[in-house]
Amino acid sequence: MSTPAIICVDDDLGILSSLEEQLSRHFGDECDIELASDATEALDLCAELLAEGIHIPVVISDQQMPGMQGDELLVRIHDLTPKALTILLTGQSSVEAIRNAVNAASLYRFIAKPWNEADLVLTVKEALRRYEQDRQLATQKQALQAANVELERSISLLQATLDSTADGILVVDRTGTITHFNRKLLDIWEIEPHGEPTHILHRMTHQLAHSQQFDIEQWEAEQWCQPETCEVLQLKDNRILECLSQPQYLNQHVVGRVWSFRDVTKRQKAEETIRYQANHDVLTGLANRRQFKRRLAQLLSSDRSQYNHLAVLFIDLDRFKNVNDSLGHAVGDRLLREVSERLRQCCRDEDILSRWGGDEFTMAVPNLRSPEASAAIAERLLEVLLPSFNLLGHPICVTSSIGIATYPEDGETADMLLKNADTALYQAKEDGRNCYRHFTRSLNEQGLETLALEYALNQALEQSEFSLYYQPQLNSATGDISHMEALIRWHHPQLGTIPPTQFIPLAELNGSIVALGRWVLQTACTQAKQWQAAGIPVAVAVNLSPRQLADRSLLHTIQEVLNRTRLESKLLELEITESGTFHNVKQAKQVLSQLSNMGIGIALDDFGTGYSSLSHLKQFPLNTIKIDRSFVRDLQHQVNDVAIAKAILELGRGLSLRVVAEGVETYELKALLESLGCQHMQGYLFSRPLTAEGATQFLQQHRHRTVQVPS
């Protein structure tokens, strides 16, 4: 760092020398003593020193100098370095010169000639001290100004940050005086921005549903110091605010508290909606499956008294699918809502009613005096649904099937009671619907057997446990064989032979009938092609289940099988039942027409046992109708059955249809049917169902009896 300089100016070289000698002796260690003999030299020297960055704390100048007087020189030097302290030496008391120097050059002192060395030293010493103080003050002022600028920037940034945050911020000191807040606070609390800050707390307290939640005017000292808190404030306008607060510290002392507020009304309502939907059915407003099981478990845990019983009812609407299919899901949904309202009428406050799913409802009824008391509840439920529902101009009648399980007789857990009630419900449906059934142990055993059978059924096709048997259809008068009906058989390695009446309904129910039917079709067509190749061109009859008839891939599957086996379509006849066509007559007619156009024969099986709609005979492209064995069996003993069989035969002849009587087992039946005009028959009298090998031998023995199916 460069050494500061004291400049001495006088045209008298002797005075200059004296000044240099005295000042050097006292200040030489801390300052350089620079000399100038006139004003011009002094100004040049001053400019040179300043250019080099050398401070000039003191300038001493004589007043009387040629060219430029001292007071004028000091004014010029003051312009160059305003912080320098100037001392004027004068041999005369020129008041005007001194005044000029004081006013224009901020003259620090003047010293009269001849001077006293002690006075000179003291004056310069004080001037140097004064200069250093001024310099330090200037440095401090500059630092303070910089700090103020930084503080203003920080405050501006803080304010901008607070104003841009989504939370309303409030800062209050321990006297209850608001020291800071942002605009968002006013927006959240809907407070006008004008007015004194004191009105903010009043407006906030006034809006609270419970004013004591934010009554800080009554706070005790420890409340200001409590750690971070979080609470929810309810406003009178039903808005909900989340409030976080924490102490404000200064030098490790709590001086106030900071609050942040956030409007969480939408979030709270969304959470309430989610919680509601997690436990309720959106369509009906009833408890859903999750809540029902939870509340039922709670009832069971609290209701262990041996003198109380609890019933679980499983309620299923009968044939609800028909409503959806015929009138649409909007009407179906409305029906479910109105059904739920009627079911509510049967509930006490302590009962639990839920929509289990689809068209199923569950009900838990505690505090029953006996298990039998649940029957009265089930009867009331059936009764309340009897009046028709008027939905968009459509009168709809709905019945239900109900399964009942009681605690503790039928189970002690929610899952067990629900399982057993569902088993009882299945039995109610099996028994004709529109009724209720209580769970019994035998139902459980049947259910286990059904589950075991269903599991085995799913494995049977992969394990090649199925086989086809064939039973001939022939003309009883000529003995000619027209068709071989393919009949499926299941030989289980442990359970033995399982009759079709036991596994076909199960396959229809779980959907495996589609894959099973595809296998039957493929196997039967392959066999028919082998017979054709052996010179025995007999048609094969294959049964189609209702589920297969509704399968959209049925036409593609049949065409694919015919292509793969290269069997002529005229050698395939498909047998359908009346019940299989009833649910969707339009679709059945369309599918059967396409099959007929392919050259495939269509037979109506079990005629007379289903809906027996004569319009079906007119609408469907039938080739054959088959009289069900239930009529044939009792022809010799039931006059009515004879009349029915005769009517069917007359109807068939009138419509140019082949009529086949099933279940012909005696010569007497054969003769009776022939007397009624029936020639085409099928039954044990002619042949039992045969294996593929046995059927081939049978056909070979009756080779001349096989009938060429017309193209």
Side-chain angles (χ1 to χ4, degrees):
M1 184 176 179
S2 58
T3 304
I6 299 175
I7 297 177
C8 298
V9 186
D10 202 306
D11 58 338
D12 187 333
L13 297 179
I15 293 176
L16 271 180
S17 178
S18 178
L19 286 171
E20 180 184 19
E21 187 271 329
Q22 293 177 12
L23 294 175
S24 296
R25 187 168 54 251
H26 293 281
F27 304 105
D29 292 339
E30 52 185 303
C31 295
D32 292 334
I33 311 301
E34 301 288 347
L35 306 177
S37 58
D38 56 42
T40 300
E41 185 181 355
L43 291 172
D44 292 341
L45 177 61
C46 185
E48 182 181 344
L49 293 174
L50 291 174
E52 295 176 2
I54 297 174
H55 294 289
I56 305 174
V58 178
V59 177
I60 303 173
S61 176
D62 183 28
Q63 171 60 20
Q64 296 296 330
M65 292 186 299
M68 184 185 297
Q69 295 292 308
D71 60 332
E72 184 180 354
L73 170 62
L74 294 181
V75 171
R76 297 280 296 276
I77 289 177
H78 179 73
D79 291 339
L80 290 173
T81 173
K83 296 179 181 179
L85 299 177
T86 55
I87 300 173
L88 186 64
L89 293 175
T90 177
Q92 54 182 342
S93 299
S94 176
V95 176
E96 185 64 28
I98 294 173
R99 181 185 297 113
N100 180 52
V102 169
N103 292 335
S106 298
L107 184 66
Y108 175 65
R109 294 284 189 275
F110 74 90
I111 299 174
K113 292 181 180 180
W115 68 81
N116 181 278
E117 181 179 350
D119 290 340
L120 174 65
V121 171
L122 181 60
T123 299
V124 172
K125 186 175 182 180
E126 286 297 319
L128 290 173
R129 187 181 63 80
R130 168 73 178 275
Y131 177 84
E132 182 61 25
Q133 288 178 343
D134 289 346
R135 193 177 68 80
Q136 291 179 359
L137 285 174
T139 301
Q140 292 173 356
K141 182 179 180 181
Q142 185 178 8
L144 183 60
Q145 289 175 339
N148 286 336
V149 170
E150 181 63 24
L151 180 60
E152 289 177 0
R153 191 189 70 81
S154 298
I155 292 174
S156 175
L157 178 61
L158 175 62
Q159 185 64 47
T161 302
L162 293 178
D163 287 339
S164 64
T165 185
D167 297 339
I169 305 299
L170 176 68
V171 184
V172 181
D173 65 21
R174 296 187 65 167
T175 67
T177 302
I178 295 177
T179 60
H180 195 81
F181 62 91
N182 65 353
R183 177 55 191 253
K184 192 64 178 180
L185 177 81
L186 304 180
D187 293 341
I188 290 176
W189 286 91
E190 299 180 352
I191 299 173
E192 295 295 329
H194 58 272
E196 294 295 325
T198 52
H199 82 289
I200 294 177
L201 289 178
H202 175 73
R203 288 285 297 127
M204 291 169 62
T205 305
H206 180 72
Q207 293 186 61
L208 288 170
H210 307 286
S211 58
Q212 64 271 20
Q213 282 189 286
F214 196 69
D215 190 9
I216 63 175
E217 294 180 356
Q218 305 299 324
W219 272 23
E220 302 292 338
E222 60 272 11
Q223 290 177 278
W224 290 96
C225 300
Q226 62 185 327
E228 182 176 321
T229 62
C230 177
E231 55 185 327
V232 176
L233 305 180
Q234 180 73 49
L235 304 191
K236 292 177 181 177
D237 61 3
N238 293 323
R239 287 188 298 134
I240 302 170
L241 302 184
E242 183 181 71
C243 173
L244 301 174
S245 75
Q246 62 182 21
Q248 179 191 12
Y249 289 95
L250 183 63
N251 296 327
Q252 298 182 346
H253 294 287
V254 176
V255 296
R257 200 162 183 88
V258 180
W259 282 268
S260 66
F261 301 91
R262 177 174 295 183
D263 191 334
V264 295
T265 306
K266 291 183 179 179
R267 188 186 77 190
Q268 289 279 86
K269 292 187 180 302
E271 291 175 354
E272 290 175 4
T273 300
I274 292 172
R275 283 194 295 270
Y276 180 85
Q277 292 178 348
N279 293 286
H280 292 81
D281 173 55
V282 177
L283 180 64
T284 63
L286 297 176
N288 62 10
R289 179 184 303 199
R290 176 175 177 269
Q291 184 182 184
F292 182 85
K293 292 184 69 174
R294 178 175 56 82
R295 292 180 61 188
L296 176 58
Q298 291 173 350
L299 276 178
L300 293 172
S301 64
S302 61
D303 188 11
R304 294 293 186 181
S305 172
Q306 60 177 325
Y307 303 107
N308 288 322
H309 298 269
L310 179 148
V312 172
L313 289 80
F314 228 120
I315 308 158
D316 184 88
L317 302 184
D318 298 330
R319 301 183 179 89
F320 175 77
K321 185 176 183 297
N322 292 345
V323 177
N324 275 341
D325 291 344
S326 58
L327 300 178
H329 288 277
V331 175
D333 288 348
R334 185 165 178 177
L335 176 61
L336 288 172
R337 284 194 292 268
E338 295 201 14
V339 166
S340 68
E341 286 301 318
R342 292 194 187 181
L343 295 179
R344 276 193 179 100
Q345 299 171 14
C346 304
C347 294
R348 304 167 300 172
D349 291 340
E350 63 264 39
D351 298 339
I352 309 170
L353 177 64
S354 84
R355 183 186 176 202
W356 190 253
D359 59 350
E360 292 181 324
F361 298 83
T362 52
M363 186 174 177
V365 186
N367 299 320
L368 297 177
R369 282 182 285 182
S370 68
E372 292 73 22
S374 60
I377 299 169
E379 289 173 358
R380 186 180 176 192
L381 292 173
L382 294 174
E383 182 181 350
V384 79
L385 295 179
L386 284 179
S388 64
F389 296 83
N390 193 346
L391 302 177
L392 303 178
H394 300 282
I396 299 175
C397 294
V398 173
T399 61
S400 66
S401 302
I402 302 174
I404 306 171
T406 57
Y407 163 85
E409 292 79 10
D410 301 329
E412 297 188 356
T413 67
D415 288 338
M416 183 58 68
L417 288 170
L418 285 165
K419 170 183 172 296
N420 291 340
D422 190 31
T423 300
L425 169 65
Y426 183 81
Q427 186 60 47
K429 287 183 172 294
E430 287 286 304
D431 291 347
R433 307 173 189 266
N434 192 26
C435 62
Y436 66 89
R437 291 292 181 266
H438 289 276
F439 173 78
T440 62
R441 295 299 169 189
S442 61
L443 290 180
N444 190 46
E445 293 171 1
Q446 291 174 14
L448 293 175
E449 291 175 1
T450 301
L451 285 176
L453 187 63
E454 184 173 8
Y455 176 78
L457 180 62
N458 291 333
Q459 306 297 316
L461 197 56
E462 295 180 6
Q463 302 296 331
S464 301
E465 295 174 5
F466 292 109
S467 62
L468 286 188
Y469 280 56
Y470 300 89
Q471 188 174 34
Q473 298 173 9
L474 47 80
N475 187 314
S476 63
T478 65
D480 294 337
I481 301 170
S482 61
H483 294 73
M484 297 291 282
E485 182 178 1
L487 302 170
I488 190 169
R489 296 293 183 263
W490 181 11
H491 305 283
H492 190 275
Q494 282 80 41
L495 302 177
T497 300
I498 301 173
T501 54
Q502 189 172 349
F503 70 83
I504 291 295
L506 184 59
E508 182 79 18
L509 187 64
N510 67 17
S512 61
I513 192 68
V514 175
L516 188 58
R518 188 182 301 116
W519 177 85
V520 170
L521 185 66
Q522 174 71 41
T523 305
C525 288
T526 300
Q527 183 61 62
K529 182 62 179 177
Q530 291 175 359
W531 288 332
Q532 184 186 25
I536 314 172
V538 63
V540 65
V542 176
N543 290 278
L544 278 185
S545 75
R547 189 74 170 261
Q548 286 178 279
L549 192 58
D551 183 19
R552 296 185 181 276
S553 64
L554 175 65
L555 293 172
H556 174 75
T557 299
I558 293 174
Q559 187 63 65
E560 186 179 33
V561 168
L562 291 176
N563 292 340
R564 186 182 300 119
T565 60
R566 297 184 179 181
L567 180 69
E568 295 179 68
S569 58
K570 67 179 183 179
L571 293 179
L572 174 63
E573 182 175 74
L574 299 175
E575 295 188 7
I576 61 172
T577 60
E578 289 183 275
S579 59
T581 63
F582 177 75
H583 295 295
N584 195 332
V585 175
K586 183 178 179 181
Q587 181 188 353
K589 179 181 178 182
Q590 182 180 5
V591 172
L592 294 176
S593 296
Q594 290 178 280
L595 290 172
S596 179
N597 292 337
M598 292 168 60
I600 297 172
I602 307 296
L604 186 60
D605 197 10
D606 301 337
F607 186 75
T609 61
Y611 299 97
S612 300
S613 172
L614 297 181
S615 66
H616 288 183
L617 299 181
K618 179 181 178 181
Q619 293 182 59
F620 297 155
L622 299 175
N623 305 97
T624 303
I625 55 176
K626 301 181 74 174
I627 304 175
D628 186 67
R629 67 183 66 249
S630 62
F631 294 117
V632 174
R633 181 178 59 243
D634 297 326
L635 281 178
Q636 293 175 287
H637 310 290
Q638 297 290 337
V639 177
N640 290 339
D641 287 350
V642 172
I644 292 173
K646 187 175 182 179
I648 294 174
L649 288 164
E650 290 292 337
L651 184 64
R653 281 191 288 269
L655 296 174
S656 300
L657 299 176
R658 186 172 68 100
V659 180
V660 179
E662 295 182 298
V664 180
E665 299 183 359
T666 66
Y667 286 104
E668 290 79 9
L669 275 177
K670 173 178 176 292
L672 179 56
L673 286 166
E674 288 176 337
S675 69
L676 296 175
C678 180
Q679 295 181 336
H680 300 281
M681 303 181 192
Q682 178 180 350
Y684 284 3
L685 178 62
F686 310 104
S687 173
R688 289 178 174 273
L690 304 168
T691 63
E693 182 180 356
T696 301
Q697 292 176 358
F698 181 89
L699 289 173
Q700 288 173 340
Q701 293 169 3
H702 300 79
R703 182 185 296 268
H704 63 286
R705 298 287 190 178
T706 57
V707 178
Q708 284 283 353
V709 179
S711 301

